[in-house]
Amino acid sequence: MNKPMRRVGIAMITMVVLLLVNITYIQVVKADDYRTDSRNQRVLLDQYSRQRGSIVSQYDGQVLADVVATNDKLKFERRYTDGPMYAPVTGYYSVRYGSGGLERAEDDILNGEDPRLFVRRLSDMVTGRDPRGGNVQLTINPAVQAALYNAMTSKGYTGAAVAMNPKTGEILGMVSTPSYDPNALASHDSTAQQEAWTQFADDPKEPMLNRAISQTYPPGSTFKLLVAAAELENGATADTPVSNAPNVQLPGTRTTLENYGGAACPGTTFKEALAHSCNVPFATFAGQLGADKLNQIAVNFGIGTPLSIPMNVAPSSLGEMDSQAALYQSGIGQRDVRLTPLQDLMLSATIANGGMAMKPQLIKKLLAPDLSDLETFSPQELTGTPALSAANAAVLRDMMIASEANTKGGGKRANIQIASKTGTAEHGTDPKSTPPHAWYTAFAPAADPQIAVAVIVESGGNRGLEATGGTVAAEIGRAAINAQLGGG
Amino acid sequence: MSQPPLSDQAASIYATNPPRDMPTRRGTELAMLGFAAFIVTCAFVLVQANQEQELSWSIVWYGLAYLGLFSVAHAAVRKWAAYADPLILPCVALLNGLGLVMIYRIDLANAEKATQASKDFTADAPKQVLFTALALALFLAVLILVKDHRTLTRYGYTAGLAGMVALALPALLPSSLSEVNGAKVWLKLPGFSIQPAEFSKILLMIFFASFLVAKRDLFMIAGRKVFGVELPRARDLGPLLIAAGVCLLVLVFEKDLGTSLLLFGIVLVMLYVATERAIWVVTGLSFFIVGCLIAYQLFTHVEQRVANWIDPLETYSDPGGGYQIAQGLFGLGTGGVGGTGLGAGRPEIVPESNTDFITAGLGEELGFVGLAAILMIYLLLATRGMRSALAVRDTFGKLLGCGLSFAIVMQVFVIVGGVTKLIPMTGITTPFLSYGGSSLLANYILVALLLRISDAARRPAQKPRPKQPQQQAPLAEAHTVMVQRPPAGGNPTGEPTA
């Protein structure tokens, strides 16, 4: 009987060896797959219970997002200062719904997993201190952000506004309205979190959409800045004569393209055409320049260049422009031309910076938990090639100063010289009876630009069909300029 | 009669086990128990340290309870099974202790969860200590009552019947008395519940061993040749087949696939060892495969288990799907080679983390290294049992010892294999580690029997002779001895008639 018993003994050993081989496979070979599976809450819970780094402004170190200690399993809860105001900047951070915006883009720094924080984490492990995440310092100026946000929300506008330093590309303010409160998503009360998410996600006004960088719009007349730049580069001057006809027939069609209100252009020079935002000359310019020249200059304004600030920016585009008629319509920022508000801002910012587009950047510095520097942002040229020459930029600037002089709307200050361009963009399936988008893009002071700003108020704001860039959007842009330049 | 008369018992021991000089090795056992206690204490301290709790008095209480219980067990073995294998009890103590630490650790996590949800929470660890105490009482009772394992042969059929009744009882009783969490394998008594299947597996092993020993010769000699294979006569095999068949049927109806797999494996192994014919294993496995195919067709829950086994991530969010196994695998994966450290993982995420899935928790916190070590302890325990079974001379002892040892590995294989996706998941307990009274009680009985067999295997036929010859009393001082009068007309040798 001993022989079969010995065999049973061998069978027992074999069974245990089988188990060992299998757990080797699971815990050694497949371990990483299982560990990093999105449904494995363990790693996530570890990150969530680590003290997440703060998001602060470079101005006075104002804190936009930090954590408060809680006594539950997650240990720390995310808190946002002025949540809705800064939501397009900070994004959100939720245990249940993950993260969005900057919280996601800089997650590795904030949760401390960035390789640059590795040595510190190691020493934290040795010293027994709980590992913490690094901090992110933003270029945002709270005064500009607040001015933009308050101006947009006080009238209940839907839209976006962005401001940046044209010389460095530092984004000074980025607002999207209506907004949402990321604090509600960061709540550790899972019911509250869920309710907030459902509320935001189901809202037809899409409060969680960052309109400043994730949404593209027809830029309307603000696009004339690009056409004007191309025309100047093509040899035109401010005094080049232009047609003052009230309308022009689109080549190859029976459709006509009118000036705003169907009026004749008050001037007959290029400069006056921009100052009065006459459509006919710019449609004609675009037709003469052709798609290639427009696209060529567009690249150096940033259109079609993939961009992240570090959040990804939706690509802007001029569209096909495959016929003269298409060129005519594109020349005034209609048809298939689609820009993000940030890209629209870059039109004026590039002109403000003497023709060189700077790479927009939201982050000033990455800091270790102990506030030592990990990386400091330095201004970068976007493509390295100027969109237009400094001389032509100066010409265009003067044309924009004239345009500002013709622009209505409140918020003007005598002591600040602004260069601007408005836009009133038709959109929708029935453009004539859909309230237009109101645009305003500007920089100031014109002589030594410190801030450039772009504003879009969707669908006419509170003016409906009567809305224009000047009456609706300009005031908002000027508020930001005043805030930045100390005009209050 | 030239030889001094031996007592009946001594004579039989002599017959099965000629005298050898065997050290008792009780000192080794004590040292190894101390080692187990040291490891368990360290584990406790680690849990508390990692949970950022202050070292509390609970350590002392659990530690004292642990030490007290196993001191009693050691003393009992010293007294009633002095020659038993010295490694069996320490292995059990270590496993039991690690299980206790893990249950305590999961208690901490669940208590915190309950506090957050402001619910009531009752800890399982104190109950497990109580179960351990009860189990050790039973262990003691078995050691004391079963002085010689061969006496169990007398109760072979009784044990078989009792085992079958115990197995069938939950199936026959109404659900209100037998169902807990959807598993109809319980016997709910006022105040407590037990899983009778845990006990019937031991009763049935006793039955199979005694039956097979009694019929062994018949199996091997009488029979017909079918396809060149000698099959025993149906009437010889009948009771065994009926018993095994009934067991399996009952279990299939109770949907307790794990226990039926376990019993099937044990019966197969005991049959193989008794008959020494591999053909039984082949036949048995063929039947098993056919049975599996039928079960797969008939029962949706079997189909579900197989689907979860093939890819638990695929069926992750299905009701009754792979969520539990997937979470177990996530835990094991997160633990990796070295583990997260005791108290630093999140084993409580896995449902039933302190019963069926306790090895997933141990694998997460102790890593591959720790889990492998635990499997090796089981293997050590089982091989020590098997060694005793090999050494013991009586066939019943051999067969029972072999069955008991194999049962340990088989249980581990079924449950750990299920948790680690080696085989489809079937819910049984992990011996000594899992939370649960019935399992602990039954497995301590199993170990008591194993120790008894091992004691018989190593015990010399007579008490060891005193080192120095005893001083013979002078003949003059010797007292008179009454000589029994032979019965009238009895046999002259004085031997009892059969």
Side-chain angles (χ1 to χ4, degrees), chain A residues 212-229:
Chain A
I213 58 169
S214 303
Q215 182 80 312
T216 59
Y217 301 90
S221 300
T222 55
F223 188 68
K224 287 172 185 162
L225 293 176
L226 187 140
V227 179

Side-chain angles (χ1 to χ4, degrees), chain A residues 69-255:
Chain A
T70 59
N71 51 12
D72 57 22
K73 189 86 191 165
L74 296 173
K75 292 182 190 160
F76 298 100
E77 186 171 328
R78 198 66 160 159
R79 282 288 161 82
Y80 297 91
T81 320
D82 291 324
M85 183 191 292
Y86 288 102
V89 174
T90 58
Y92 62 90
Y93 182 76
S94 157
V95 177
R96 196 184 177 96
Y97 300 101
S99 54
L102 188 75
E103 291 272 26
R104 181 186 285 177
E106 288 300 334
D107 193 40
D108 276 1
I109 289 287
L110 290 166
N111 72 26
E113 304 246 299
D114 191 275
R116 284 168 286 181
L117 295 170
F118 179 74
V119 177
R120 288 179 178 84
R121 259 192 317 161
L122 216 61
S123 78
D124 282 346
M125 244 162 73
V126 174
T127 56
R129 196 172 50 174
D130 275 345
R132 289 178 296 162
N135 306 305
V136 175
Q137 193 188 66
L138 299 185
T139 57
I140 292 288
N141 180 351
V144 172
Q145 180 80 6
L148 288 173
Y149 184 74
N150 293 334
M152 289 291 283
T153 52
S154 62
K155 292 186 175 141
Y157 290 156
T158 299
V162 216
M164 72 182 208
N165 180 337
K167 292 175 179 173
T168 59
E170 291 182 4
I171 293 176
L172 300 171
M174 179 163 68
V175 158
S176 172
T177 56
S179 192
Y180 66 100
D181 189 357
N183 283 311
L185 296 177
S187 166
H188 285 187
D189 176 347
S190 64
T191 323
Q193 203 180 114
Q194 213 173 336
E195 275 171 12
W197 178 268
T198 320
Q199 189 200 321
F200 299 152
D202 291 352
D203 191 333
K205 290 186 162 176
E206 298 184 83
M208 291 179 76
L209 173 69
N210 186 352
R211 293 172 165 80
I213 58 169
S214 303
Q215 182 80 312
T216 59
Y217 301 90
S221 300
T222 55
F223 188 68
K224 287 172 185 162
L225 293 176
L226 187 140
V227 179
E231 185 67 17
L232 287 170
E233 288 291 290
N234 204 35
T237 64
D239 301 323
T240 302
V242 296
S243 158
N244 67 345
N247 58 55
V248 62
Q249 189 165 13
L250 295 181
T253 69
R254 289 165 177 277
T255 318

Side-chain angles (χ1 to χ4, degrees), chain B residues 102 105-106 328 331-332 340 342 345-348 350 353 357-367 371 419:
Chain B
M102 202 61 199
R105 187 254 167 282
I106 291 167
L332 289 168
T340 59
L342 266 175
R346 296 180 189 272
E348 75 279 3
V350 188
S353 50
F357 274 71
I358 197 159
T359 41
L362 286 162
E364 180 180 348
E365 299 212 320
L366 298 176
L371 193 52
V419 168

Side-chain angles (χ1 to χ4, degrees), chain A residues 1-9 11-16 18-20 22-24 26-28 30-35 37 39-43 45-46 49 71-75 130, chain B residues 112 116 216 269 272-273 276 313 316 323 327 329-334 336-337 346 349-350 363-364 367-368 371-372 375-376 379 382 386 389-390 395 398-399 406 409-410 413 417 420 422:
Chain A
M1 226 159 111
N2 281 4
K3 202 168 134 194
M5 283 174 71
R6 279 182 216 284
R7 288 201 179 132
V8 171
M12 295 190 330
I13 294 169
T14 313
M15 285 158 88
V16 173
L18 273 176
L19 289 176
L20 284 172
N22 190 46
I23 62 168
T24 310
I26 284 175
Q27 295 203 276
V28 181
K30 288 270 282 178
D32 260 7
D33 290 352
Y34 288 131
R35 196 174 53 79
D37 192 290
R39 291 164 289 195
N40 184 3
Q41 308 161 44
R42 291 172 183 80
V43 179
L45 284 173
D46 270 353
S49 57
N71 51 12
D72 57 22
K73 189 86 191 165
L74 296 173
K75 292 182 190 160
D130 275 345
Chain B
E112 201 173 308
Q116 264 182 55
R216 192 167 168 249
V269 158
Y272 167 65
V273 169
E276 304 187 21
L313 299 177
Y316 183 79
Y323 176 82
Q327 284 300 339
L329 292 175
F330 291 160
L332 289 168
T334 309
V337 176
R346 296 180 189 272
I349 290 176
V350 188
E364 180 180 348
F368 165 74
L371 193 52
L375 291 178
M376 294 316 283
L379 187 60
M386 193 59 101
L390 278 167
T395 45
K398 273 178 180 303
L399 210 46
F406 184 74
V409 171
M410 187 72 187
F413 184 76
T420 59
L422 181 63

Side-chain angles (χ1 to χ4, degrees), chain B residues 26 139 147 369 462:
Chain B
R26 292 277 65 84
F139 170 88
K147 290 227 166 46
V369 177
Q462 286 155 312

Side-chain angles (χ1 to χ4, degrees), chain B residues 93-409:
Chain B
L94 184 51
L95 289 168
N96 197 163
L98 287 177
L100 201 57
V101 169
M102 202 61 199
I103 292 163
Y104 171 76
R105 187 254 167 282
I106 291 167
D107 273 351
L108 289 180
N110 285 335
E112 201 173 308
K113 234 195 261 178
T115 330
Q116 264 182 55
S118 40
K119 282 181 191 151
D120 287 336
F121 174 74
T122 39
D124 285 334
K127 284 191 266 175
Q128 183 77 348
V129 174
L130 191 70
F131 289 143
T132 309
L134 275 175
L136 280 170
L138 218 54
F139 170 88
L140 238 69
V142 171
L143 276 188
I144 295 167
L145 291 177
V146 186
K147 290 227 166 46
D148 182 345
H149 60 270
R150 284 165 306 165
T151 52
L152 293 173
T153 51
R154 284 186 228 152
Y155 307 106
Y157 282 93
T158 320
L161 191 66
M164 276 164 65
V165 169
L167 206 57
L169 215 48
L172 300 175
L173 287 173
S175 290
S176 61
L177 291 173
S178 64
E179 196 167 317
V180 175
N181 294 335
K184 203 168 149 58
V185 293
W186 294 85
L187 198 57
K188 285 204 248 181
L189 301 170
F192 66 102
S193 316
I194 56 168
Q195 274 181 300
E198 291 281 355
F199 298 94
S200 63
K201 92 188 156 205
I202 292 171
L203 290 169
L204 288 170
M205 268 191 274
I206 294 171
F207 162 69
F208 287 135
S210 63
F211 177 84
L212 287 168
V213 167
K215 303 277 180 156
R216 192 167 168 249
D217 294 341
L218 283 172
F219 279 175
M220 295 177 81
I221 298 156
R224 295 177 298 152
K225 268 201 170 181
V226 181
F227 301 119
V229 176
E230 284 203 21
L231 287 181
R233 294 178 301 182
R235 61 176 168 217
D236 298 330
L237 201 56
L240 189 79
L241 284 180
I242 291 167
V246 167
C247 293
L248 294 184
L249 271 180
V250 164
L251 290 168
V252 166
F253 281 113
E254 287 174 15
K255 299 189 176 182
D256 189 358
L257 298 172
T259 312
S260 71
L261 181 60
L262 178 67
L263 277 179
F264 196 85
I266 292 170
V267 171
L268 219 56
V269 158
M270 289 175 79
L271 204 55
Y272 167 65
V273 169
T275 59
E276 304 187 21
R277 297 264 161 83
I279 190 68
W280 289 110
V281 181
V282 177
T283 323
L285 281 179
S286 318
F287 275 122
F288 178 73
I289 290 164
V290 172
C292 286
L293 290 176
I294 294 171
Y296 183 79
Q297 299 294 331
L298 284 183
F299 304 107
T300 47
H301 70 281
V302 178
E303 206 181 321
Q304 213 169 35
R305 294 270 171 97
V306 172
N308 295 346
W309 168 56
I310 292 168
D311 192 356
L313 299 177
E314 180 74 35
T315 61
Y316 183 79
S317 39
D318 300 351
Y323 176 82
Q324 187 181 25
I325 294 179
Q327 284 300 339
L329 292 175
F330 291 160
L332 289 168
T334 309
V337 176
T340 59
L342 266 175
R346 296 180 189 272
E348 75 279 3
I349 290 176
V350 188
E352 289 172 57
S353 50
N354 65 3
T355 55
D356 289 7
F357 274 71
I358 197 159
T359 41
L362 286 162
E364 180 180 348
E365 299 212 320
L366 298 176
F368 165 74
V369 177
L371 193 52
I374 287 170
L375 291 178
M376 294 316 283
I377 301 171
Y378 278 118
L379 187 60
L380 183 62
L381 176 60
T383 46
R384 294 309 284 201
M386 193 59 101
R387 219 175 81 121
S388 307
L390 278 167
V392 85
R393 287 303 178 98
D394 70 296
T395 45
F396 174 75
K398 273 178 180 303
L399 210 46
L400 184 60
C402 178
L404 295 172
S405 310
F406 184 74
I408 295 171
V409 171

